[in-house]
Amino acid sequence: MGTLSGKTAVVTGSTSGIGLAYARAFASAGANVVINGFGTPADIEKERSAIEKDFGVKAVYSPADMSKPAEIAGMVELGEKTFGSVDILVNNAGIQFVSPVEEFPLEKWDAIIAINLSSAFHSIRAAVPGMKKRGWGRIINTASAHSLVASPFKSAYVAAKHGIAGLTKTVALELATHKITANCISPGYVWTPLVEKQIPDTMKTRGLTKEQVINDVMLDAQPTKEFVTVEQVAALALFLCGDDAAQITGANLSIDGGWTAA
Ligand code: NAD
């Protein structure tokens, strides 16, 4: 019996990167999981069945698009209908786009605000009634060091991440007496497909080589000079789900190799 046996976790954007590590960490503690995100059906099925096989829990896949409010509500409903509850909600899906503000494509701004910020509002709105009824819940939002500090050329991302930090604090206050905590985890640079994909754009925008982007832009901000791992981020999320974390709420927890200390 794991510490999360009988509980259900919904993790948005869990077909890849940090989200997949969260889903696997919750499953390792005995939770059933709803995974979500994009990918080929074969890749998604591989991850879903591996979670069931590796940890002896149930995993279902929701194809909900985090830019579509009705689909987000449907994802929470899928968890409640399949497993009887949604006890842990992790808002993690996210995209990035790098551009000077005056050239920032309008549709990229709208997509980043929708996927990185508004989706968390929609899923929280859908999951809170069940959490309140059962008197227990954990809401974890993947924010970023960019919820605390800015970098040039990431106007939409930084705005969305600052927004999610504010949403988290508000929800924490509203739910404080219901044994439901709401926190954000703010990683620095974690080596995932999201980071890898922004290297070519940053090379172009700043006129740098790949090595210069990695060492002089990314790890330059991170005093430890090391990438954070997805497993380290997932371990923090797992801690937040335990009884020892019952009084941690409304917090913005940095896991950034010292970035935001500077
Ligand atoms: P990733 O690209 O590996 O994963 C992103 C996930 O979101 C994927 O599963 C993808 O399919 C999903 N996704 C994207 N658009 C979606 C949509 N419209 N609907 C549903 N799912 C969608 O990225 P990652 O690095 O694991 O990032 C996860 C979260 O962590 C993001 O919110 C990101 O901003 C945040 N973050 C990442 C880093 C980092 O360095 N990697 C640092 C700080 C914060």
Side-chain angles (χ1 to χ4, degrees):
M1 286 277 285
T3 51
L4 297 180
S5 291
K7 298 233 172 350
T8 303
V10 172
V11 185
T12 74
S14 47
T15 52
S16 165
I18 297 168
L20 181 58
Y22 285 141
R24 291 184 59 84
F26 297 139
S28 77
N32 293 320
V33 293
V34 178
I35 60 168
N36 159 261
F38 299 146
T40 66
D43 286 346
I44 292 167
E45 179 51 23
K46 197 169 132 233
E47 299 301 354
R48 192 203 63 78
S49 56
I51 290 171
E52 292 196 336
K53 186 168 145 286
D54 294 347
F55 305 114
V57 299
K58 293 272 172 234
V60 295
Y61 169 66
S62 162
D65 180 338
M66 291 301 111
S67 64
K68 308 228 164 81
E71 293 187 21
I72 298 168
M75 172 189 67
V76 171
E77 203 180 315
L78 175 73
E80 289 176 338
K81 286 229 169 94
T82 310
F83 300 123
S85 64
V86 170
D87 310 286
I88 299 162
L89 170 66
V90 183
N91 293 299
N92 169 77
I95 57 169
Q96 176 62 284
F97 193 81
V98 180
S99 161
V101 68
E102 70 274 26
E103 291 164 20
F104 213 92
L106 300 187
E107 67 281 5
K108 293 288 184 195
W109 171 274
D110 287 345
I112 290 177
I113 299 299
I115 295 164
N116 296 17
L117 175 58
S118 300
S119 71
F121 159 72
H122 295 296
S123 66
I124 290 168
R125 191 173 179 276
V128 160
M131 289 181 178
K132 272 189 170 172
K133 203 160 63 194
R134 288 181 300 276
W136 195 93
R138 292 288 188 267
I139 297 168
I140 300 170
N141 298 320
T142 309
S144 164
H146 284 122
S147 74
L148 297 161
V149 295
S151 296
F153 312 120
K154 295 184 176 176
S155 52
Y157 188 87
V158 171
K161 293 300 185 179
H162 276 64
I164 207 147
L167 172 68
T168 306
K169 289 197 272 189
T170 308
V171 168
L173 295 180
E174 290 184 30
L175 301 175
T177 57
H178 293 271
K179 301 200 182 306
I180 303 167
T181 68
N183 293 289
C184 32
I185 294 180
S186 284
Y189 276 105
V190 188
W191 189 256
T192 67
L194 180 141
V195 164
E196 214 173 339
K197 271 186 268 173
Q198 64 187 277
I199 289 175
D201 278 348
T202 309
M203 285 166 65
K204 207 167 75 197
T205 313
R206 298 200 185 206
L208 300 174
T209 66
K210 184 176 174 186
E211 288 64 36
Q212 284 171 323
V213 171
I214 291 176
N215 294 314
D216 302 343
V217 179
M218 295 180 165
L219 294 182
D220 183 51
Q222 213 141 287
T224 56
K225 303 296 173 205
E226 289 178 22
F227 284 98
V228 182
T229 70
V230 295
E231 290 79 12
Q232 289 166 340
V233 179
L236 179 54
L238 196 53
F239 178 76
L240 286 174
C241 293
D243 293 340
D244 287 340
Q247 294 303 317
I248 303 178
T249 195
N252 188 345
L253 300 161
S254 292
I255 175 163
D256 64 4
W259 175 349
T260 52

